[in-house]
Amino acid sequence: MYDEPVIKLKDIRMNYGTEDVLKGINLEIKPAQIIGYIGPNGAGKTTTIKILLGMINNYKGEIEIFGEKITPDQIDYKKKIGYVPEGGDIYENLTGWEYLEFIGEIYEVPSAELKLRSETLADCFGMTLAFNDRISSYSKGMKQKILIISALLNNPEIIILDEPLTGLDANSVMIFKNILIKLAKEGKTIFYSSHLMDVVEKITDRIIIIANGEILADGTFNELKQKSKEGTLEKIFNDLTGFHEQEQIADRVIAALRD
Ligand code: ADP
C-alpha cells in the first residue's frame, strides 16, 4: 500500500481582496485515514478544498498529490479524487440515471462498471426508482445522495467531502459513515470537512481544527482531549476558537419566548 503522504499542503495562503482567508496552511495527510477538517463558518475550509481541487488557482504555496506537485493545467490527478460539494449545483433537468452516466463519462469509468456501480449504489441508498425522475423533483436529501453516489463512481483514491450529510436521513447517514470507515480500511484517504462535530468525533482518525484561516489543533481525538482538559470535541473546539456564548444565547432565546 502507498504509505507516503497522499496530500501535502505547504504554506498555502489565499486572500480575497484584502481579506486573508488562509494564512499558511501546512498539512501532510497519509493514506487510509479519515481526516476531520473542522472549523466555524468562514474558517477557510471550502477555500482549502477548492484549492486542492484546482477550482481556485491564485493562491500562494505548494500542493502535492501522490508526490506530484500540482499546477493549474493538470487535470489527471482529479480522476483519483471524488468530491461531494456542499449543496452542489446539479443539472436538474437530467434524471438520476442520466446524471450518473454523465459523471461516469467525465471520469472515464468503463460503461460496464459504471452501470453495475450506479445500479448497486442506487439500490443501497434506496434511489433505484427515483433515478428515473428528473433531479428537479428530488428533495434535498435525495440530491445529496446523488452527489455522494456520483463522487464514488470512479472508485477514487481520495474522497473530499464538504458538509456531506446535509439533508440526509438518519439511515443514510449511518450507511454513509460505515462506507467511509470501510473505504479508509481499504486504503482510501478521506478528507471530511464540516462544522458539525459529532460525526467527526466518531469516525475520524485525525482531527484538524481551523479558524480564521489558521490551523489551531491537529491530532487524534484523544490527543486533542488531553491537551484541552475538555471532554467532547465540541468543548475542545469552543475552547480553541473562543466561543463560549452558546448558553447565554440560548437563555436569551428562551427569555424572549417567555416575554
Ligand atoms: P468555510 O468553508 O470554513 O465556511 P470559506 O472557505 O467558504 O469558509 O470562506 C472563508 C472566508 O472567505 C469567509 O470569510 C468568506 O466570506 C470568504 N470568501 C469565500 N469565498 C469568497 C469569494 N469568492 N469572494 C470573497 N470572499 C470569499
Side-chain angles (χ1 to χ4, degrees):
M1 199 194 289
Y2 191 90
D3 198 34
E4 293 300 308
V6 171
I7 301 172
K8 275 193 199 174
L9 299 182
K10 296 184 195 166
D11 199 26
I12 300 294
R13 293 169 186 273
M14 174 71 199
N15 60 62
Y16 293 108
T18 52
E19 193 191 358
D20 288 334
V21 171
L22 295 179
K23 301 170 184 163
I25 300 290
N26 287 290
L27 275 181
E28 291 202 354
I29 295 174
K30 289 259 192 168
Q33 287 195 337
I34 306 180
I35 307 296
Y37 196 56
I38 63 168
N41 280 334
K45 304 184 295 297
T46 303
T47 303
T48 312
I49 288 176
K50 286 187 173 164
I51 289 173
L52 266 175
L53 292 165
M55 294 160 73
I56 294 176
N57 292 315
N58 54 335
Y59 60 89
K60 295 201 174 69
E62 219 176 273
I63 300 178
E64 282 180 24
I65 307 271
F66 285 108
E68 285 206 27
K69 198 177 151 192
I70 297 308
T71 53
D73 52 331
Q74 270 170 309
I75 50 166
D76 259 10
Y77 80 97
K78 294 182 192 173
K79 294 203 179 123
K80 294 185 184 146
I81 300 182
Y83 168 48
V84 179
E86 183 182 15
D89 290 331
I90 322 182
Y91 298 106
E92 301 223 345
N93 279 332
L94 300 181
T95 68
W97 296 121
E98 286 167 349
Y99 183 76
L100 293 185
E101 204 179 332
F102 170 66
I103 296 293
E105 279 170 12
I106 291 177
Y107 278 100
E108 296 174 350
V109 181
S111 60
E113 280 171 28
L114 178 59
K115 185 170 186 301
L116 185 67
R117 288 177 189 170
S118 302
E119 286 176 0
T120 307
L121 270 65
D123 187 37
C124 291
F125 280 99
M127 293 290 282
T128 305
L129 276 180
F131 276 173
N132 293 316
D133 299 327
R134 282 182 201 273
I135 295 170
S136 54
S137 68
Y138 293 2
S139 68
K140 205 169 176 184
M142 289 160 83
K143 285 182 187 161
Q144 198 60 21
K145 286 186 198 176
I146 197 167
L147 286 172
I148 288 173
I149 292 171
S150 51
L152 297 175
L153 279 180
N154 60 329
N155 190 22
E157 290 303 318
I158 300 172
I159 300 165
I160 298 181
L161 308 162
D162 197 355
E163 301 289 4
L165 305 181
T166 309
L168 277 194
D169 59 281
N171 283 355
S172 300
V173 169
M174 285 191 284
I175 293 169
F176 187 55
K177 282 197 302 198
N178 276 280
I179 292 171
L180 295 180
I181 291 166
K182 286 177 196 286
L183 284 172
K185 285 208 176 108
E186 288 204 342
K188 313 288 190 190
T189 307
I190 296 162
F191 190 86
Y192 188 121
S193 169
S194 181
H195 67 277
L196 301 172
M197 280 154 278
D198 47 348
V199 175
V200 171
E201 179 177 325
K202 290 193 186 88
I203 66 166
T204 52
D205 301 293
R206 173 179 169 196
I207 295 168
I208 295 156
I209 299 182
I210 171 174
N212 292 318
E214 286 176 301
I215 292 175
L216 299 184
D218 182 350
T220 63
F221 178 48
N222 282 334
E223 284 166 358
L224 297 192
K225 228 162 60 172
Q226 278 164 16
K227 271 187 205 156
S228 146
K229 305 189 298 264
E230 301 281 0
T232 64
L233 184 56
E234 193 167 73
K235 286 196 176 127
I236 296 169
F237 181 86
N238 290 342
D239 190 26
L240 287 166
T241 57
F243 183 72
H244 300 288
E245 289 88 49
Q246 62 275 31
E247 217 179 313
Q248 250 173 298
I249 294 173
D251 282 344
R252 264 187 74 200
V253 171
I254 302 300
L257 297 179
R258 284 204 200 104
D259 287 343

PDB file of all heavy atoms in Angstrom, residues 16-17 19-22 37 39-50 56 86 162-163 193 210, ligand 1:
ATOM      1  N   TYR A  16      -8.887  37.058  -0.557  1.00  0.00           N
ATOM      2  CA  TYR A  16      -9.869  37.649  -1.468  1.00  0.00           C
ATOM      3  C   TYR A  16      -9.781  39.142  -1.231  1.00  0.00           C
ATOM      4  O   TYR A  16     -10.218  39.619  -0.183  1.00  0.00           O
ATOM      5  CB  TYR A  16     -11.279  37.172  -1.135  1.00  0.00           C
ATOM      6  CG  TYR A  16     -11.535  35.703  -1.386  1.00  0.00           C
ATOM      7  CD1 TYR A  16     -11.666  34.806  -0.327  1.00  0.00           C
ATOM      8  CD2 TYR A  16     -11.656  35.210  -2.682  1.00  0.00           C
ATOM      9  CE1 TYR A  16     -11.924  33.463  -0.552  1.00  0.00           C
ATOM     10  CE2 TYR A  16     -11.906  33.865  -2.912  1.00  0.00           C
ATOM     11  CZ  TYR A  16     -12.042  33.002  -1.845  1.00  0.00           C
ATOM     12  OH  TYR A  16     -12.287  31.686  -2.071  1.00  0.00           O
ATOM     13  N   GLY A  17      -9.208  39.867  -2.137  1.00  0.00           N
ATOM     14  CA  GLY A  17      -9.023  41.304  -1.909  1.00  0.00           C
ATOM     15  C   GLY A  17      -8.073  41.506  -0.748  1.00  0.00           C
ATOM     16  O   GLY A  17      -6.968  40.993  -0.747  1.00  0.00           O
ATOM     17  N   GLU A  19      -8.800  40.557   2.394  1.00  0.00           N
ATOM     18  CA  GLU A  19      -9.033  39.602   3.478  1.00  0.00           C
ATOM     19  C   GLU A  19      -8.168  38.350   3.317  1.00  0.00           C
ATOM     20  O   GLU A  19      -8.253  37.644   2.303  1.00  0.00           O
ATOM     21  CB  GLU A  19     -10.519  39.197   3.478  1.00  0.00           C
ATOM     22  CG  GLU A  19     -10.934  38.462   4.732  1.00  0.00           C
ATOM     23  CD  GLU A  19     -12.320  37.819   4.615  1.00  0.00           C
ATOM     24  OE1 GLU A  19     -12.975  37.991   3.560  1.00  0.00           O
ATOM     25  OE2 GLU A  19     -12.719  37.142   5.556  1.00  0.00           O
ATOM     26  N   ASP A  20      -7.315  38.085   4.325  1.00  0.00           N
ATOM     27  CA  ASP A  20      -6.535  36.849   4.306  1.00  0.00           C
ATOM     28  C   ASP A  20      -7.418  35.712   4.798  1.00  0.00           C
ATOM     29  O   ASP A  20      -7.785  35.665   5.969  1.00  0.00           O
ATOM     30  CB  ASP A  20      -5.313  36.970   5.225  1.00  0.00           C
ATOM     31  CG  ASP A  20      -4.267  37.887   4.630  1.00  0.00           C
ATOM     32  OD1 ASP A  20      -4.231  38.007   3.392  1.00  0.00           O
ATOM     33  OD2 ASP A  20      -3.503  38.488   5.408  1.00  0.00           O
ATOM     34  N   VAL A  21      -7.737  34.814   3.876  1.00  0.00           N
ATOM     35  CA  VAL A  21      -8.668  33.745   4.219  1.00  0.00           C
ATOM     36  C   VAL A  21      -7.917  32.486   4.665  1.00  0.00           C
ATOM     37  O   VAL A  21      -8.371  31.766   5.552  1.00  0.00           O
ATOM     38  CB  VAL A  21      -9.567  33.461   2.996  1.00  0.00           C
ATOM     39  CG1 VAL A  21     -10.387  32.226   3.204  1.00  0.00           C
ATOM     40  CG2 VAL A  21     -10.468  34.650   2.737  1.00  0.00           C
ATOM     41  N   LEU A  22      -6.766  32.225   4.067  1.00  0.00           N
ATOM     42  CA  LEU A  22      -5.877  31.159   4.535  1.00  0.00           C
ATOM     43  C   LEU A  22      -4.518  31.788   4.816  1.00  0.00           C
ATOM     44  O   LEU A  22      -3.948  32.469   3.965  1.00  0.00           O
ATOM     45  CB  LEU A  22      -5.754  30.039   3.483  1.00  0.00           C
ATOM     46  CG  LEU A  22      -7.021  29.253   3.172  1.00  0.00           C
ATOM     47  CD1 LEU A  22      -6.750  28.208   2.096  1.00  0.00           C
ATOM     48  CD2 LEU A  22      -7.601  28.581   4.410  1.00  0.00           C
ATOM     49  N   TYR A  37     -11.739  17.877   9.052  1.00  0.00           N
ATOM     50  CA  TYR A  37     -11.259  19.254   8.895  1.00  0.00           C
ATOM     51  C   TYR A  37     -12.386  20.125   9.392  1.00  0.00           C
ATOM     52  O   TYR A  37     -13.373  20.342   8.681  1.00  0.00           O
ATOM     53  CB  TYR A  37     -10.974  19.488   7.411  1.00  0.00           C
ATOM     54  CG  TYR A  37     -10.118  20.697   7.076  1.00  0.00           C
ATOM     55  CD1 TYR A  37      -8.862  20.860   7.619  1.00  0.00           C
ATOM     56  CD2 TYR A  37     -10.561  21.649   6.160  1.00  0.00           C
ATOM     57  CE1 TYR A  37      -8.060  21.956   7.276  1.00  0.00           C
ATOM     58  CE2 TYR A  37      -9.761  22.740   5.807  1.00  0.00           C
ATOM     59  CZ  TYR A  37      -8.512  22.880   6.377  1.00  0.00           C
ATOM     60  OH  TYR A  37      -7.720  23.952   6.024  1.00  0.00           O
ATOM     61  N   GLY A  39     -14.111  23.492  11.560  1.00  0.00           N
ATOM     62  CA  GLY A  39     -13.933  24.892  11.930  1.00  0.00           C
ATOM     63  C   GLY A  39     -15.249  25.609  11.736  1.00  0.00           C
ATOM     64  O   GLY A  39     -16.117  25.125  11.015  1.00  0.00           O
ATOM     65  N   PRO A  40     -15.387  26.766  12.370  1.00  0.00           N
ATOM     66  CA  PRO A  40     -16.650  27.510  12.230  1.00  0.00           C
ATOM     67  C   PRO A  40     -16.861  27.995  10.802  1.00  0.00           C
ATOM     68  O   PRO A  40     -15.923  27.971   9.994  1.00  0.00           O
ATOM     69  CB  PRO A  40     -16.469  28.692  13.187  1.00  0.00           C
ATOM     70  CG  PRO A  40     -15.009  28.809  13.429  1.00  0.00           C
ATOM     71  CD  PRO A  40     -14.405  27.464  13.199  1.00  0.00           C
ATOM     72  N   ASN A  41     -18.055  28.442  10.491  1.00  0.00           N
ATOM     73  CA  ASN A  41     -18.311  29.003   9.166  1.00  0.00           C
ATOM     74  C   ASN A  41     -17.361  30.157   8.908  1.00  0.00           C
ATOM     75  O   ASN A  41     -17.088  30.954   9.804  1.00  0.00           O
ATOM     76  CB  ASN A  41     -19.756  29.499   9.066  1.00  0.00           C
ATOM     77  CG  ASN A  41     -20.703  28.347   8.820  1.00  0.00           C
ATOM     78  OD1 ASN A  41     -20.305  27.317   8.271  1.00  0.00           O
ATOM     79  ND2 ASN A  41     -21.941  28.493   9.250  1.00  0.00           N
ATOM     80  N   GLY A  42     -16.829  30.199   7.696  1.00  0.00           N
ATOM     81  CA  GLY A  42     -15.915  31.283   7.350  1.00  0.00           C
ATOM     82  C   GLY A  42     -14.466  31.001   7.726  1.00  0.00           C
ATOM     83  O   GLY A  42     -13.587  31.829   7.499  1.00  0.00           O
ATOM     84  N   ALA A  43     -14.192  29.807   8.278  1.00  0.00           N
ATOM     85  CA  ALA A  43     -12.825  29.483   8.744  1.00  0.00           C
ATOM     86  C   ALA A  43     -11.841  29.327   7.585  1.00  0.00           C
ATOM     87  O   ALA A  43     -10.642  29.543   7.742  1.00  0.00           O
ATOM     88  CB  ALA A  43     -12.848  28.200   9.564  1.00  0.00           C
ATOM     89  N   GLY A  44     -12.357  28.911   6.415  1.00  0.00           N
ATOM     90  CA  GLY A  44     -11.475  28.684   5.262  1.00  0.00           C
ATOM     91  C   GLY A  44     -11.478  27.243   4.780  1.00  0.00           C
ATOM     92  O   GLY A  44     -10.644  26.860   3.955  1.00  0.00           O
ATOM     93  N   LYS A  45     -12.439  26.460   5.244  1.00  0.00           N
ATOM     94  CA  LYS A  45     -12.482  25.031   4.879  1.00  0.00           C
ATOM     95  C   LYS A  45     -12.757  24.848   3.390  1.00  0.00           C
ATOM     96  O   LYS A  45     -12.033  24.151   2.690  1.00  0.00           O
ATOM     97  CB  LYS A  45     -13.566  24.306   5.713  1.00  0.00           C
ATOM     98  CG  LYS A  45     -13.395  24.448   7.205  1.00  0.00           C
ATOM     99  CD  LYS A  45     -14.419  23.644   7.981  1.00  0.00           C
ATOM    100  CE  LYS A  45     -15.856  24.096   7.812  1.00  0.00           C
ATOM    101  NZ  LYS A  45     -16.137  25.473   8.296  1.00  0.00           N
ATOM    102  N   THR A  46     -13.839  25.474   2.902  1.00  0.00           N
ATOM    103  CA  THR A  46     -14.190  25.300   1.491  1.00  0.00           C
ATOM    104  C   THR A  46     -13.101  25.874   0.591  1.00  0.00           C
ATOM    105  O   THR A  46     -12.788  25.292  -0.462  1.00  0.00           O
ATOM    106  CB  THR A  46     -15.556  25.964   1.191  1.00  0.00           C
ATOM    107  OG1 THR A  46     -16.524  25.382   2.070  1.00  0.00           O
ATOM    108  CG2 THR A  46     -15.990  25.746  -0.243  1.00  0.00           C
ATOM    109  N   THR A  47     -12.498  26.966   1.007  1.00  0.00           N
ATOM    110  CA  THR A  47     -11.400  27.546   0.211  1.00  0.00           C
ATOM    111  C   THR A  47     -10.255  26.535   0.101  1.00  0.00           C
ATOM    112  O   THR A  47      -9.702  26.330  -0.982  1.00  0.00           O
ATOM    113  CB  THR A  47     -10.912  28.866   0.851  1.00  0.00           C
ATOM    114  OG1 THR A  47     -12.024  29.750   0.958  1.00  0.00           O
ATOM    115  CG2 THR A  47      -9.835  29.522   0.022  1.00  0.00           C
ATOM    116  N   THR A  48      -9.913  25.877   1.208  1.00  0.00           N
ATOM    117  CA  THR A  48      -8.860  24.852   1.167  1.00  0.00           C
ATOM    118  C   THR A  48      -9.221  23.764   0.155  1.00  0.00           C
ATOM    119  O   THR A  48      -8.397  23.357  -0.668  1.00  0.00           O
ATOM    120  CB  THR A  48      -8.677  24.194   2.565  1.00  0.00           C
ATOM    121  OG1 THR A  48      -8.579  25.198   3.554  1.00  0.00           O
ATOM    122  CG2 THR A  48      -7.466  23.294   2.596  1.00  0.00           C
ATOM    123  N   ILE A  49     -10.464  23.316   0.216  1.00  0.00           N
ATOM    124  CA  ILE A  49     -10.916  22.233  -0.670  1.00  0.00           C
ATOM    125  C   ILE A  49     -10.873  22.686  -2.128  1.00  0.00           C
ATOM    126  O   ILE A  49     -10.395  21.951  -3.003  1.00  0.00           O
ATOM    127  CB  ILE A  49     -12.338  21.776  -0.270  1.00  0.00           C
ATOM    128  CG1 ILE A  49     -12.251  21.002   1.045  1.00  0.00           C
ATOM    129  CG2 ILE A  49     -12.979  20.932  -1.359  1.00  0.00           C
ATOM    130  CD1 ILE A  49     -13.593  20.582   1.601  1.00  0.00           C
ATOM    131  N   LYS A  50     -11.335  23.890  -2.391  1.00  0.00           N
ATOM    132  CA  LYS A  50     -11.346  24.377  -3.780  1.00  0.00           C
ATOM    133  C   LYS A  50      -9.927  24.502  -4.322  1.00  0.00           C
ATOM    134  O   LYS A  50      -9.683  24.255  -5.503  1.00  0.00           O
ATOM    135  CB  LYS A  50     -12.090  25.710  -3.875  1.00  0.00           C
ATOM    136  CG  LYS A  50     -13.596  25.517  -3.744  1.00  0.00           C
ATOM    137  CD  LYS A  50     -14.343  26.794  -4.001  1.00  0.00           C
ATOM    138  CE  LYS A  50     -15.844  26.540  -4.047  1.00  0.00           C
ATOM    139  NZ  LYS A  50     -16.595  27.784  -3.914  1.00  0.00           N
ATOM    140  N   ILE A  56      -9.594  26.905  -7.462  1.00  0.00           N
ATOM    141  CA  ILE A  56      -9.012  28.229  -7.204  1.00  0.00           C
ATOM    142  C   ILE A  56      -7.526  28.107  -7.516  1.00  0.00           C
ATOM    143  O   ILE A  56      -6.886  27.151  -7.061  1.00  0.00           O
ATOM    144  CB  ILE A  56      -9.192  28.640  -5.722  1.00  0.00           C
ATOM    145  CG1 ILE A  56     -10.655  28.844  -5.375  1.00  0.00           C
ATOM    146  CG2 ILE A  56      -8.387  29.889  -5.407  1.00  0.00           C
ATOM    147  CD1 ILE A  56     -10.905  29.160  -3.899  1.00  0.00           C
ATOM    148  N   GLU A  86     -20.589  20.995  -0.920  1.00  0.00           N
ATOM    149  CA  GLU A  86     -21.675  21.393  -0.028  1.00  0.00           C
ATOM    150  C   GLU A  86     -22.830  21.902  -0.887  1.00  0.00           C
ATOM    151  O   GLU A  86     -22.676  22.897  -1.593  1.00  0.00           O
ATOM    152  CB  GLU A  86     -21.190  22.500   0.913  1.00  0.00           C
ATOM    153  CG  GLU A  86     -22.257  22.881   1.905  1.00  0.00           C
ATOM    154  CD  GLU A  86     -21.828  24.017   2.812  1.00  0.00           C
ATOM    155  OE1 GLU A  86     -20.843  24.703   2.508  1.00  0.00           O
ATOM    156  OE2 GLU A  86     -22.515  24.205   3.826  1.00  0.00           O
ATOM    157  N   ASP A 162     -17.403  17.954   1.628  1.00  0.00           N
ATOM    158  CA  ASP A 162     -17.674  19.262   2.232  1.00  0.00           C
ATOM    159  C   ASP A 162     -19.105  19.225   2.772  1.00  0.00           C
ATOM    160  O   ASP A 162     -20.052  19.237   1.993  1.00  0.00           O
ATOM    161  CB  ASP A 162     -17.508  20.360   1.152  1.00  0.00           C
ATOM    162  CG  ASP A 162     -17.359  21.746   1.758  1.00  0.00           C
ATOM    163  OD1 ASP A 162     -17.476  21.877   2.993  1.00  0.00           O
ATOM    164  OD2 ASP A 162     -17.114  22.696   0.993  1.00  0.00           O
ATOM    165  N   GLU A 163     -19.247  19.145   4.066  1.00  0.00           N
ATOM    166  CA  GLU A 163     -20.567  19.016   4.718  1.00  0.00           C
ATOM    167  C   GLU A 163     -21.436  17.970   3.992  1.00  0.00           C
ATOM    168  O   GLU A 163     -22.512  18.294   3.485  1.00  0.00           O
ATOM    169  CB  GLU A 163     -21.305  20.363   4.721  1.00  0.00           C
ATOM    170  CG  GLU A 163     -20.593  21.483   5.422  1.00  0.00           C
ATOM    171  CD  GLU A 163     -20.540  21.345   6.941  1.00  0.00           C
ATOM    172  OE1 GLU A 163     -21.001  20.308   7.473  1.00  0.00           O
ATOM    173  OE2 GLU A 163     -20.003  22.259   7.572  1.00  0.00           O
ATOM    174  N   SER A 193     -14.683  17.600   5.665  1.00  0.00           N
ATOM    175  CA  SER A 193     -14.779  18.953   6.191  1.00  0.00           C
ATOM    176  C   SER A 193     -16.190  19.217   6.702  1.00  0.00           C
ATOM    177  O   SER A 193     -17.172  18.930   6.012  1.00  0.00           O
ATOM    178  CB  SER A 193     -14.440  19.934   5.067  1.00  0.00           C
ATOM    179  OG  SER A 193     -14.756  21.233   5.466  1.00  0.00           O
ATOM    180  N   ILE A 210      -9.546  24.281  12.280  1.00  0.00           N
ATOM    181  CA  ILE A 210      -9.130  25.520  11.605  1.00  0.00           C
ATOM    182  C   ILE A 210     -10.089  26.651  11.991  1.00  0.00           C
ATOM    183  O   ILE A 210     -11.303  26.432  12.107  1.00  0.00           O
ATOM    184  CB  ILE A 210      -9.075  25.305  10.064  1.00  0.00           C
ATOM    185  CG1 ILE A 210      -8.869  26.622   9.317  1.00  0.00           C
ATOM    186  CG2 ILE A 210     -10.279  24.590   9.527  1.00  0.00           C
ATOM    187  CD1 ILE A 210      -8.669  26.483   7.817  1.00  0.00           C
TER     188      ILE A 210
HETATM  189  P1  ADP B   1     -15.778  27.783   5.419  1.00  0.00           P
HETATM  190  O1  ADP B   1     -15.875  26.754   4.347  1.00  0.00           O
HETATM  191  O2  ADP B   1     -14.878  27.384   6.555  1.00  0.00           O
HETATM  192  O3  ADP B   1     -17.126  28.219   5.928  1.00  0.00           O
HETATM  193  P2  ADP B   1     -14.845  29.528   3.292  1.00  0.00           P
HETATM  194  O4  ADP B   1     -13.579  28.940   2.822  1.00  0.00           O
HETATM  195  O5  ADP B   1     -16.082  29.302   2.483  1.00  0.00           O
HETATM  196  O6  ADP B   1     -15.083  29.094   4.821  1.00  0.00           O
HETATM  197  O7  ADP B   1     -14.680  31.091   3.442  1.00  0.00           O
HETATM  198  C1  ADP B   1     -13.610  31.673   4.152  1.00  0.00           C
HETATM  199  C2  ADP B   1     -13.726  33.179   4.072  1.00  0.00           C
HETATM  200  O8  ADP B   1     -13.550  33.599   2.730  1.00  0.00           O
HETATM  201  C3  ADP B   1     -15.072  33.724   4.510  1.00  0.00           C
HETATM  202  O9  ADP B   1     -14.846  34.933   5.225  1.00  0.00           O
HETATM  203  C4  ADP B   1     -15.786  34.012   3.212  1.00  0.00           C
HETATM  204  O10 ADP B   1     -16.684  35.057   3.369  1.00  0.00           O
HETATM  205  C5  ADP B   1     -14.642  34.374   2.294  1.00  0.00           C
HETATM  206  N1  ADP B   1     -14.901  34.038   0.887  1.00  0.00           N
HETATM  207  C6  ADP B   1     -15.150  32.800   0.412  1.00  0.00           C
HETATM  208  N2  ADP B   1     -15.303  32.820  -0.928  1.00  0.00           N
HETATM  209  C7  ADP B   1     -15.166  34.120  -1.303  1.00  0.00           C
HETATM  210  C8  ADP B   1     -15.210  34.796  -2.559  1.00  0.00           C
HETATM  211  N3  ADP B   1     -15.432  34.137  -3.695  1.00  0.00           N
HETATM  212  N4  ADP B   1     -15.004  36.137  -2.552  1.00  0.00           N
HETATM  213  C9  ADP B   1     -14.761  36.813  -1.412  1.00  0.00           C
HETATM  214  N5  ADP B   1     -14.686  36.224  -0.203  1.00  0.00           N
HETATM  215  C10 ADP B   1     -14.895  34.910  -0.131  1.00  0.00           C
END
